[in-house]
Amino acid sequence: MRRVDAVIMAGLAFTLGFVLGMVIQLPVITLPLNEKHFENTDPKFGVRSGSEGSARKQLSPDNPLRLLKPSTHGVVYPQNNGTNSYLLGQGDYGGSQHASSGTSPARESVIRNRESAERPAVVDGVLWSEATEKKCPGGFTEEDQKSWKSKIDKTKVVKLETGCGRMQNRMATFKDAVRACVRYRVNTDQLQGEIFSYYLSKLLGIDNVPPSSLHLVNTMDDRWRTVTGEIANSKWADDKVVIFTQFVEGLKPSYIPVEFRDEDRKLHPRQDLIHSKGPEDLCDLVQWSDLIVFDYLTANLDRVVNNMFNRQWNPNMMNTPAHNLERTSGGRLIFLDNESGLFHGYRLLDKYASYHRTLLDALCVFRNSTARAIERLHHSGSVGEELNKMFSQNEALFNQIPRLPQKNAKILQQRISDVYDQIQKCKKQYA
């Protein structure tokens, strides 16, 4: 009998010891395992930091779960991915491989398929989709150009000061406080390059170039009389043609997208990069596709080619702001200083053509309207005639500087065909 009692007492002692041991080893923080606990739109977790009376903390975007103090027992919290749903896999907390993403495999698949169906296409073949373009800020309009021409024809210049680049360029301030960059050049071809590049952008429907127009310096004109002293100090000749370009306030530097920085540069429609970009980055790429086409046609060597060429002395050159390219606070790129286009750039094609070609070869996504304009001009073969006609119809002083020469028109027409061929090549590759 004593032996039986001893066995019973030993069994009771072992059982009590085991239960007591399990209680002591329980973690300070416990997480519920039932998904119903997490479906509340205002989820909360009970948190203790060693004492029973700790306050419960509410989770929100301003108070993410990862900011809560971890348990002294090392309990791993699920990550807050910016949603109000915290779904853990079935079984022990932290035991599911999907716990950190907050989504079960089945739910993750449903969400992924739903997002894919709801997300507008970024590209349509080799063209930026309409949905993508609609999210981008608008550029300069035909009305902006008309308004600008009216202003410089009628409004008095009250201040002329250094600015807007090197040499004899000046910043002009009108009576209504609006400002303009005034381009003064001794060499006519630099004025031609600036003004004809502007009208080419209009012919292509590229709206990133600020409104520009020819004007005549005339110290006897009432619009100039207030600044005759500044004109003399600038060593401007009277009755000299200048270009007034609208000054855009609040511009910031613009950087070259990563797609075009390295030797393996490429922007093609099947890249995962395109589909992982946010709206602002996508709009940059939409505008950069126009910039590469525009600079290829004009052979502008004073923008991205400037960065590429100088990389041989400065390896970080492609990580610095693009030359003569700025952006507005709303994300619109502004193509500045195009005076090397169509004239000076064409004379230096032997030296710089490879840089332009490298950028064009890297591009396989185009803006729809730009691609249509290229196709039309390629088939018509009349870009020179159209450009000269647009210039003479819009500029009262068109006879003050030479028209686009036939030689330059032929080079431009060939470069339009180059862009057209690149578009066709991309279509065949990504049909």
Side-chain angles (χ1 to χ4, degrees), residues 18-38:
F18 177 81
V19 172
L20 182 60
M22 289 296 293
V23 171
I24 293 175
Q25 293 298 319
L26 283 175
V28 176
I29 303 175
T30 59
L31 301 181
L33 302 180
N34 193 335
E35 289 188 4
K36 293 182 180 180
H37 289 284
F38 296 87

mmCIF file of all heavy atoms in Angstrom, residues 18-38:
data_model
loop_
_atom_site.group_PDB
_atom_site.id
_atom_site.type_symbol
_atom_site.label_atom_id
_atom_site.label_comp_id
_atom_site.label_asym_id
_atom_site.label_seq_id
_atom_site.Cartn_x
_atom_site.Cartn_y
_atom_site.Cartn_z
ATOM 1 N N PHE A 18 5.618 19.633 -14.556
ATOM 2 C CA PHE A 18 5.564 19.864 -16.014
ATOM 3 C C PHE A 18 4.685 21.057 -16.345
ATOM 4 O O PHE A 18 5.045 21.920 -17.171
ATOM 5 C CB PHE A 18 5.021 18.594 -16.696
ATOM 6 C CG PHE A 18 4.853 18.727 -18.179
ATOM 7 C CD1 PHE A 18 5.937 18.579 -19.022
ATOM 8 C CD2 PHE A 18 3.608 19.039 -18.731
ATOM 9 C CE1 PHE A 18 5.811 18.715 -20.387
ATOM 10 C CE2 PHE A 18 3.476 19.171 -20.090
ATOM 11 C CZ PHE A 18 4.566 19.014 -20.931
ATOM 12 N N VAL A 19 3.489 21.115 -15.710
ATOM 13 C CA VAL A 19 2.563 22.249 -15.962
ATOM 14 C C VAL A 19 3.206 23.557 -15.545
ATOM 15 O O VAL A 19 3.120 24.568 -16.244
ATOM 16 C CB VAL A 19 1.235 22.014 -15.213
ATOM 17 C CG1 VAL A 19 0.351 23.256 -15.300
ATOM 18 C CG2 VAL A 19 0.506 20.808 -15.796
ATOM 19 N N LEU A 20 3.823 23.582 -14.386
ATOM 20 C CA LEU A 20 4.466 24.799 -13.886
ATOM 21 C C LEU A 20 5.581 25.248 -14.836
ATOM 22 O O LEU A 20 5.744 26.433 -15.131
ATOM 23 C CB LEU A 20 5.031 24.548 -12.484
ATOM 24 C CG LEU A 20 5.709 25.781 -11.825
ATOM 25 C CD1 LEU A 20 4.699 26.921 -11.688
ATOM 26 C CD2 LEU A 20 6.265 25.391 -10.454
ATOM 27 N N GLY A 21 6.332 24.264 -15.364
ATOM 28 C CA GLY A 21 7.405 24.587 -16.308
ATOM 29 C C GLY A 21 6.869 25.203 -17.585
ATOM 30 O O GLY A 21 7.444 26.140 -18.144
ATOM 31 N N MET A 22 5.752 24.683 -18.085
ATOM 32 C CA MET A 22 5.165 25.239 -19.309
ATOM 33 C C MET A 22 4.687 26.666 -19.088
ATOM 34 O O MET A 22 4.829 27.535 -19.958
ATOM 35 C CB MET A 22 3.979 24.360 -19.750
ATOM 36 C CG MET A 22 4.397 23.009 -20.297
ATOM 37 S SD MET A 22 5.362 23.173 -21.823
ATOM 38 C CE MET A 22 4.097 23.822 -22.910
ATOM 39 N N VAL A 23 4.095 26.945 -17.920
ATOM 40 C CA VAL A 23 3.621 28.301 -17.615
ATOM 41 C C VAL A 23 4.782 29.278 -17.574
ATOM 42 O O VAL A 23 4.725 30.377 -18.103
ATOM 43 C CB VAL A 23 2.861 28.312 -16.275
ATOM 44 C CG1 VAL A 23 2.555 29.744 -15.846
ATOM 45 C CG2 VAL A 23 1.577 27.498 -16.417
ATOM 46 N N ILE A 24 5.863 28.884 -16.970
ATOM 47 C CA ILE A 24 7.027 29.764 -16.848
ATOM 48 C C ILE A 24 7.610 30.079 -18.214
ATOM 49 O O ILE A 24 8.094 31.170 -18.481
ATOM 50 C CB ILE A 24 8.093 29.117 -15.942
ATOM 51 C CG1 ILE A 24 7.564 29.043 -14.507
ATOM 52 C CG2 ILE A 24 9.404 29.897 -15.999
ATOM 53 C CD1 ILE A 24 8.497 28.302 -13.563
ATOM 54 N N GLN A 25 7.545 29.123 -19.184
ATOM 55 C CA GLN A 25 8.179 29.300 -20.488
ATOM 56 C C GLN A 25 7.295 30.021 -21.490
ATOM 57 O O GLN A 25 7.742 30.289 -22.611
ATOM 58 C CB GLN A 25 8.565 27.937 -21.078
ATOM 59 C CG GLN A 25 9.649 27.226 -20.322
ATOM 60 C CD GLN A 25 10.934 28.027 -20.333
ATOM 61 O OE1 GLN A 25 11.283 28.594 -21.350
ATOM 62 N NE2 GLN A 25 11.626 28.065 -19.205
ATOM 63 N N LEU A 26 6.031 30.365 -21.138
ATOM 64 C CA LEU A 26 5.176 31.080 -22.087
ATOM 65 C C LEU A 26 5.787 32.426 -22.430
ATOM 66 O O LEU A 26 6.311 33.109 -21.576
ATOM 67 C CB LEU A 26 3.780 31.311 -21.488
ATOM 68 C CG LEU A 26 2.845 30.103 -21.481
ATOM 69 C CD1 LEU A 26 1.550 30.474 -20.750
ATOM 70 C CD2 LEU A 26 2.537 29.623 -22.882
ATOM 71 N N PRO A 27 5.711 32.878 -23.748
ATOM 72 C CA PRO A 27 6.264 34.184 -24.132
ATOM 73 C C PRO A 27 5.473 35.315 -23.534
ATOM 74 O O PRO A 27 4.288 35.183 -23.233
ATOM 75 C CB PRO A 27 6.166 34.177 -25.660
ATOM 76 C CG PRO A 27 5.046 33.229 -25.965
ATOM 77 C CD PRO A 27 5.147 32.167 -24.903
ATOM 78 N N VAL A 28 6.131 36.437 -23.369
ATOM 79 C CA VAL A 28 5.477 37.614 -22.785
ATOM 80 C C VAL A 28 4.397 38.125 -23.714
ATOM 81 O O VAL A 28 3.348 38.579 -23.294
ATOM 82 C CB VAL A 28 6.524 38.716 -22.526
ATOM 83 C CG1 VAL A 28 5.863 39.981 -22.008
ATOM 84 C CG2 VAL A 28 7.556 38.215 -21.527
ATOM 85 N N ILE A 29 4.630 38.080 -25.066
ATOM 86 C CA ILE A 29 3.661 38.559 -26.040
ATOM 87 C C ILE A 29 3.159 37.379 -26.837
ATOM 88 O O ILE A 29 3.932 36.582 -27.334
ATOM 89 C CB ILE A 29 4.297 39.580 -26.993
ATOM 90 C CG1 ILE A 29 4.867 40.729 -26.181
ATOM 91 C CG2 ILE A 29 3.305 40.071 -28.022
ATOM 92 C CD1 ILE A 29 5.608 41.719 -27.028
ATOM 93 N N THR A 30 1.878 37.265 -26.942
ATOM 94 C CA THR A 30 1.303 36.191 -27.743
ATOM 95 C C THR A 30 0.494 36.802 -28.854
ATOM 96 O O THR A 30 -0.151 37.841 -28.676
ATOM 97 C CB THR A 30 0.408 35.281 -26.882
ATOM 98 O OG1 THR A 30 -0.626 36.067 -26.322
ATOM 99 C CG2 THR A 30 1.208 34.579 -25.797
ATOM 100 N N LEU A 31 0.506 36.181 -30.021
ATOM 101 C CA LEU A 31 -0.234 36.675 -31.176
ATOM 102 C C LEU A 31 -1.376 35.718 -31.472
ATOM 103 O O LEU A 31 -1.179 34.508 -31.489
ATOM 104 C CB LEU A 31 0.685 36.757 -32.399
ATOM 105 C CG LEU A 31 1.901 37.657 -32.252
ATOM 106 C CD1 LEU A 31 2.698 37.638 -33.557
ATOM 107 C CD2 LEU A 31 1.497 39.076 -31.909
ATOM 108 N N PRO A 32 -2.577 36.226 -31.735
ATOM 109 C CA PRO A 32 -3.697 35.340 -32.078
ATOM 110 C C PRO A 32 -3.445 34.685 -33.424
ATOM 111 O O PRO A 32 -2.858 35.274 -34.313
ATOM 112 C CB PRO A 32 -4.898 36.301 -32.140
ATOM 113 C CG PRO A 32 -4.301 37.642 -32.397
ATOM 114 C CD PRO A 32 -2.966 37.631 -31.705
ATOM 115 N N LEU A 33 -3.924 33.490 -33.580
ATOM 116 C CA LEU A 33 -3.684 32.736 -34.794
ATOM 117 C C LEU A 33 -4.878 32.753 -35.731
ATOM 118 O O LEU A 33 -4.756 32.411 -36.895
ATOM 119 C CB LEU A 33 -3.347 31.278 -34.450
ATOM 120 C CG LEU A 33 -2.133 31.091 -33.549
ATOM 121 C CD1 LEU A 33 -1.916 29.608 -33.300
ATOM 122 C CD2 LEU A 33 -0.901 31.712 -34.186
ATOM 123 N N ASN A 34 -6.043 33.118 -35.233
ATOM 124 C CA ASN A 34 -7.248 33.105 -36.050
ATOM 125 C C ASN A 34 -7.296 34.350 -36.929
ATOM 126 O O ASN A 34 -7.162 35.459 -36.456
ATOM 127 C CB ASN A 34 -8.477 33.061 -35.122
ATOM 128 C CG ASN A 34 -9.735 32.736 -35.905
ATOM 129 O OD1 ASN A 34 -9.794 32.984 -37.100
ATOM 130 N ND2 ASN A 34 -10.717 32.173 -35.205
ATOM 131 N N GLU A 35 -7.502 34.191 -38.250
ATOM 132 C CA GLU A 35 -7.521 35.335 -39.169
ATOM 133 C C GLU A 35 -8.632 36.308 -38.837
ATOM 134 O O GLU A 35 -8.547 37.491 -39.156
ATOM 135 C CB GLU A 35 -7.701 34.858 -40.616
ATOM 136 C CG GLU A 35 -6.490 34.169 -41.168
ATOM 137 C CD GLU A 35 -6.659 33.893 -42.643
ATOM 138 O OE1 GLU A 35 -7.686 34.314 -43.193
ATOM 139 O OE2 GLU A 35 -5.754 33.280 -43.227
ATOM 140 N N LYS A 36 -9.684 35.859 -38.172
ATOM 141 C CA LYS A 36 -10.780 36.750 -37.840
ATOM 142 C C LYS A 36 -10.322 37.881 -36.931
ATOM 143 O O LYS A 36 -10.882 38.961 -36.933
ATOM 144 C CB LYS A 36 -11.905 35.968 -37.171
ATOM 145 C CG LYS A 36 -12.579 34.983 -38.125
ATOM 146 C CD LYS A 36 -13.716 34.259 -37.432
ATOM 147 C CE LYS A 36 -14.399 33.273 -38.370
ATOM 148 N NZ LYS A 36 -15.507 32.562 -37.721
ATOM 149 N N HIS A 37 -9.316 37.620 -36.164
ATOM 150 C CA HIS A 37 -8.797 38.650 -35.256
ATOM 151 C C HIS A 37 -8.142 39.774 -36.034
ATOM 152 O O HIS A 37 -7.919 40.840 -35.486
ATOM 153 C CB HIS A 37 -7.796 38.035 -34.276
ATOM 154 C CG HIS A 37 -8.421 37.151 -33.251
ATOM 155 N ND1 HIS A 37 -9.120 37.612 -32.168
ATOM 156 C CD2 HIS A 37 -8.456 35.789 -33.183
ATOM 157 C CE1 HIS A 37 -9.549 36.592 -31.447
ATOM 158 N NE2 HIS A 37 -9.159 35.486 -32.038
ATOM 159 N N PHE A 38 -7.777 39.539 -37.303
ATOM 160 C CA PHE A 38 -7.027 40.521 -38.057
ATOM 161 C C PHE A 38 -7.876 41.244 -39.100
ATOM 162 O O PHE A 38 -7.389 42.113 -39.800
ATOM 163 C CB PHE A 38 -5.862 39.832 -38.779
ATOM 164 C CG PHE A 38 -4.878 39.247 -37.834
ATOM 165 C CD1 PHE A 38 -5.062 37.973 -37.346
ATOM 166 C CD2 PHE A 38 -3.775 39.968 -37.421
ATOM 167 C CE1 PHE A 38 -4.142 37.420 -36.472
ATOM 168 C CE2 PHE A 38 -2.861 39.413 -36.555
ATOM 169 C CZ PHE A 38 -3.047 38.139 -36.074
#
